[in-house]
């Protein structure tokens, strides 16, 4: 019997809804086909956006969407994607698959999509191959209400009111595809570019995201923080957030491994790699603390998730992969980690929304399937805007060889806006279930409801069998002597909603 302790008296931090954010890039079939089919499509749509996908994402409570990249962002020139569609530039997407990009999805379409989704907007600007003026005028185009060349152009293109840009990224992966810069060089560019990301509307201040590190490149964080940190509360603060990118790649970048056909060893390797997120966040936070003790600046994990070999027979440049119970575990573990670090992590965006890497949705023509990852996000949505509670779970080590040993369980607990205590637990063991006794200190437990995502470790949803893995009711939790009593099955992600 393992013990779970929750202390509802100790509220540790606020869980921003944006910890469950998403990312969409002009990559493969993410934007085109996955989200946007155009008004003339036979696939049901509203102003070109797939109705089925939009409805599913609303149900999951998507809080924020990042766009247009990714590596694409530092090659994207926003003026190519505005104005009459027939005059928009057709070009080659050199980074992803060498396909024609007709720019039919641009700024107006992204804003329309976010409006339909009811989510916040995260726009990523171009530092790698764009100018300061280009970035500055994009911000003016999107957010300036008054009379100006860019606001007038927006109005001419059919949009009278300014939009809200909630988050703005000043470059993407500038240590790599965004210009192969050194941290010193980028830090100076960041200071310069961000100056012209103007806040035209003081009521809707743009949250500026500085490009942060690749995984454990701690030097990058140190140099950039040292040179660019100026608290957002100071006059013309330089940054509100700094990013971190970390992908879960089971083997190595050359042979990543199959998304669906993997060994037990690869299961544990994958989950061990994903648990590294804890160490990365802790170390980057410690470096940020040197400059920003008060945690004014957020760590923005704006790319994370599994990265496997592409599905056989698909364009290698499209990064299309399936999604199994293993991905459900990766999602649950990472979302628990983000919750536990919500005093520093202010946003996280899984890559990518539809048809790319660890997607929540896959589409094929008019068909759509929800992946195991979708169902985990749909269970965790109750943590959005909740207060993180102090919690602890007794654990044990599972795995195969010494190298691939990991803790079996992970957990996070919050007091939701609905007044319920939300407990999410993952069990990474392939074959062990665990009996758990849950104590909520000094509190009467009135009732409990549960839901679970579980299955054979390779199980996944296909267009022929779309509901092999789904969120199911979990009636296995009872209340005994004012304690929760339940058994978490092997390979599962569990959510308990407790009335107190
Ligand atoms: O998500 C795919 C790619 O991974 C992104 O374009 C890039 O930022 C990262 O390297």
């Amino acid at each position: 019997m393992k013990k779970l302790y929750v202390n509802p008296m100790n509220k540790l931090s606020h869980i921003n809804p944006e910890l469950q954010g998403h990312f969409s890039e002009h990559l493969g079939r993410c934007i085109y086909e996955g989200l946007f089919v155009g008004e003339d499509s036979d696939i049901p749509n509203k102003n070109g956006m797939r109705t089925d996908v939009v409805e599913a994402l609303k149900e999951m409570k998507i809080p924020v969407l990042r766009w247009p990249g990714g590596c694409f962002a530092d090659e994207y020139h926003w003026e190519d994607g505005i104005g009459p569609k027939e005059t928009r530039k057709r070009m080659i997407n050199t980074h992803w698959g060498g396909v024609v990009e007709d720019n039919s999805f641009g700024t107006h379409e992204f804003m329309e999509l976010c409006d339909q989704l009811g989510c916040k907007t995260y726009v990523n600007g171009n530092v790698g191959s764009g100018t300061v003026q280009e970035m500055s005028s994009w911000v003016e185009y999107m957010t300036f209400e008054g009379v100006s060349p860019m606001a007038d152009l927006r109005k001419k293109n059919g949009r009278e009111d300014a939009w809200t840009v909630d988050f703005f990224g000043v470059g993407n992966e500038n240590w790599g595809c965004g210009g192969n810069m050194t941290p010193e060089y980028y830090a100076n560019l960041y200071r310069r570019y961000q100056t012209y990301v103007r806040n035209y509307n003081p009521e809707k201040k743009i949250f500026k995201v500085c490009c942060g590190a690749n995984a454990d490149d701690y030097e990058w964080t140190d140099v950039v923080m040292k040179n660019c940190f100026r608290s957002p509360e100071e006059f013309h603060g330089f940054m509100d957030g700094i990013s971190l990118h970390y992908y879960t790649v089971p083997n190595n970048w050359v042979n990543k491994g199959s998304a669906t056909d993997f060994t037990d060893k690869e299961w544990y390797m994958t989950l061990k790699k994903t648990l590294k997120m804890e160490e990365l966040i802790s170390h980057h936070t410690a470096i940020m603390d040197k400059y920003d003790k008060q945690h004014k600046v957020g760590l923005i994990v704006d790319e994370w998730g599994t990265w496997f070999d592409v599905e056989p027979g698909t364009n290698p440049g499209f990064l299309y992969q399936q999604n199994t119970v293993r991905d459900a575990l990766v999602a649950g573990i990472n979302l628990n980690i983000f919750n536990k670090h919500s005093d520093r992590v202010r946003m996280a965006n899984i890559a990518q929304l539809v048809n790319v890497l660890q997607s929540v949705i896959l589409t094929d023509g008019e068909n759509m399937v929800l992946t195991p990852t979708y169902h985990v996000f749909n269970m965790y949505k109750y943590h959005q805007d909740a207060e993180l509670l102090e919690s602890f779970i007794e654990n044990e080590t599972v795995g195969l060889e010494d190298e691939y040993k990991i803790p079996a369980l992970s957990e996070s607990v919050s007091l939701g806006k609905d007044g319920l205590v939300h407990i999410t637990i993952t069990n990474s063991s392939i074959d062990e279930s665990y009996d758990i006794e849950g104590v909520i200190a000094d509190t009467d437990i009135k009732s409990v409801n549960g839901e679970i995502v579980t299955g054979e470790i390779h199980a996944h949803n296909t267009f022929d069998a779309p509901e092999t893995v789904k969120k199911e009711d979990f009636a296995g939790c009872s209340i005994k002597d004012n304690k929760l009593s339940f058994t978490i099955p092997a390979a599962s992600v569990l959510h308990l909603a407790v009335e107190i």
Side-chain angles (χ1 to χ4, degrees):
M1 170 81 75
K2 307 254 174 264
K3 292 246 165 48
L4 164 74
Y5 296 99
V6 179
N7 179 2
M9 262 54 83
N10 195 3
K11 299 191 180 82
L12 297 174
S13 52
H14 183 72
I15 300 175
N16 275 355
E18 290 79 32
L19 294 198
Q20 296 176 18
H22 291 262
F23 168 38
S24 59
E25 181 167 7
H26 288 241
L27 196 179
R29 298 184 301 111
C30 182
I31 299 287
Y32 301 110
E33 287 187 43
L35 292 161
F36 180 73
V37 287
E39 287 168 26
D40 300 332
S41 172
D42 290 339
I43 297 173
N45 70 85
K46 183 175 164 201
N47 298 331
M49 313 300 156
R50 285 184 75 124
T51 313
D52 52 355
V53 171
V54 167
E55 288 309 314
L57 295 174
K58 277 164 67 179
E59 166 64 25
M60 191 192 71
K61 275 189 87 182
I62 179 172
V64 60
L65 186 59
R66 177 175 183 240
W67 171 84
C71 295
F72 185 79
D74 282 274
E75 294 192 38
Y76 184 61
H77 301 286
W78 67 273
E79 287 188 84
D80 296 341
I82 56 167
K85 296 222 168 160
E86 44 304 346
T87 60
R88 294 191 193 176
K89 270 189 198 160
R90 287 167 66 81
M91 53 186 54
I92 301 297
N93 186 337
T94 43
H95 213 95
W96 301 117
V99 290
V100 173
E101 164 64 63
D102 68 2
N103 280 300
S104 55
F105 188 97
T107 305
H108 291 248
E109 290 74 22
F110 173 67
M111 293 297 179
E112 165 70 18
L113 174 62
C114 291
D115 190 45
Q116 288 189 26
L117 293 172
C119 74
K120 290 191 177 168
T121 58
Y122 178 7
V123 176
N124 212 112
N126 178 349
V127 171
S129 69
T131 63
V132 177
Q133 183 176 5
E134 184 180 1
M135 185 179 286
S136 171
S137 47
W138 197 10
V139 173
E140 182 185 323
Y141 185 88
M142 291 186 285
T143 62
F144 189 63
E145 283 287 357
V147 176
S148 83
M150 288 302 116
D152 291 351
L153 183 58
R154 181 189 72 236
K155 289 173 193 171
K156 189 171 146 233
N157 287 332
R159 173 74 189 194
E160 190 64 27
D161 296 338
W163 292 289
T164 301
V165 173
D166 296 290
F167 302 89
F168 192 88
V170 181
N172 167 75
E173 296 195 352
N174 302 96
W175 37 261
C177 65
N180 287 308
M181 301 174 192
T182 62
E184 290 80 5
Y185 182 67
Y186 172 74
N188 279 323
L189 282 189
Y190 176 79
R191 291 171 64 109
R192 179 168 166 231
Y193 275 67
Q194 68 78 32
T195 308
Y196 303 95
V197 177
R198 303 274 192 217
N199 276 306
Y200 292 109
N201 185 345
E203 308 286 303
K204 294 180 182 164
K205 204 171 159 271
I206 298 172
F207 186 108
K208 287 187 262 188
V209 181
C210 174
C211 169
N214 178 22
D216 57 3
D217 182 355
Y218 299 117
E219 194 204 343
W220 182 281
T221 302
D222 199 17
V223 172
V224 169
M225 282 299 288
K226 183 162 41 190
N227 287 289
C228 302
F229 173 69
R230 195 200 261 183
S231 163
E233 285 167 6
E234 287 175 62
F235 184 60
H236 285 172
F238 286 167
M239 61 157 83
D240 301 280
I242 182 168
S243 64
L244 165 67
H245 287 185
Y246 175 63
Y247 284 98
T248 299
V249 181
N251 295 311
N252 55 58
W253 281 99
V254 180
N255 293 306
K256 299 179 207 68
S258 160
T260 51
D261 184 12
F262 52 86
T263 61
D264 289 1
K265 181 170 148 186
E266 284 171 310
W267 163 278
Y268 287 114
M269 278 165 76
T270 308
L271 299 184
K272 185 164 180 149
K273 291 271 185 77
T274 225
L275 282 158
K276 191 175 163 73
M277 184 66 87
E278 168 69 40
E279 173 191 317
L280 293 173
I281 292 175
S282 298
H283 286 195
H284 284 292
T285 296
I287 295 165
M288 292 169 75
D289 285 353
K290 277 175 38 185
Y291 306 97
D292 173 29
K293 286 191 184 47
Q294 293 173 297
H295 288 204
K296 301 266 188 217
V297 170
L299 185 60
I300 307 298
V301 191
D302 57 13
E303 288 188 30
W304 69 275
T306 54
W307 194 323
F308 303 123
D309 293 335
V310 298
E311 283 302 295
T314 64
N315 185 330
F318 280 15
L319 310 186
Y320 175 72
Q321 67 188 40
Q322 252 294 356
N323 197 291
T324 66
V325 167
R326 179 172 58 162
D327 294 83
L329 264 293
V330 167
I333 289 169
N334 279 283
L335 293 176
N336 279 343
I337 293 173
F338 299 148
N339 283 350
K340 292 248 174 177
H341 287 275
S342 48
D343 61 330
R344 183 57 102 174
V345 180
R346 305 278 155 73
M347 173 161 64
N349 310 71
I350 190 170
Q352 298 187 1
L353 193 58
V354 190
N355 293 332
V356 176
L357 301 178
Q358 193 177 349
S359 300
V360 290
I361 291 176
L362 304 176
T363 67
D364 181 16
E366 61 182 6
N367 300 315
M368 166 187 95
V369 294
L370 305 176
T371 66
T373 299
Y374 174 93
H375 294 296
V376 171
F377 272 80
N378 203 17
M379 286 200 310
Y380 275 62
K381 64 188 174 189
Y382 304 96
H383 287 307
Q384 291 189 22
D385 241 340
E387 302 306 314
L388 180 73
L389 298 180
E390 182 183 17
S391 65
F392 171 78
I393 196 160
E394 282 178 358
N395 224 327
E396 73 181 41
T397 303
V398 290
L400 290 179
E401 299 147 31
D402 275 356
E403 235 185 304
Y404 306 115
K405 292 254 187 260
I406 53 168
L409 304 169
S410 90
E411 107 295 348
S412 69
V413 182
S414 72
L415 180 62
K417 277 177 64 166
D418 54 10
L420 304 180
V421 171
H422 292 283
I423 302 171
T424 47
I425 311 181
T426 63
N427 180 3
S428 296
S429 174
I430 291 179
D431 37 33
E432 284 285 328
S433 59
Y434 294 98
D435 296 334
I436 299 182
E437 183 183 81
V439 176
I440 305 187
D442 299 323
T443 305
D444 287 338
I445 299 175
K446 294 194 182 124
S447 67
V448 59
N449 280 309
E451 47 186 1
I452 193 162
V453 176
T454 188
E456 195 281 323
I457 59 172
H458 305 94
H460 56 278
N461 297 332
T462 64
F463 296 98
D464 293 332
E467 300 213 335
T468 305
V469 186
K470 59 179 194 235
K471 175 166 79 76
E472 292 184 274
D473 287 345
F474 178 79
C477 185
S478 56
I479 304 167
K480 282 189 201 139
D481 301 329
N482 202 36
K483 289 174 187 144
L484 302 169
S485 174
F486 57 98
T487 301
I488 184 166
S492 62
V493 184
L494 174 67
H495 165 226
L496 299 175
V498 186
E499 187 190 2
I500 55 172

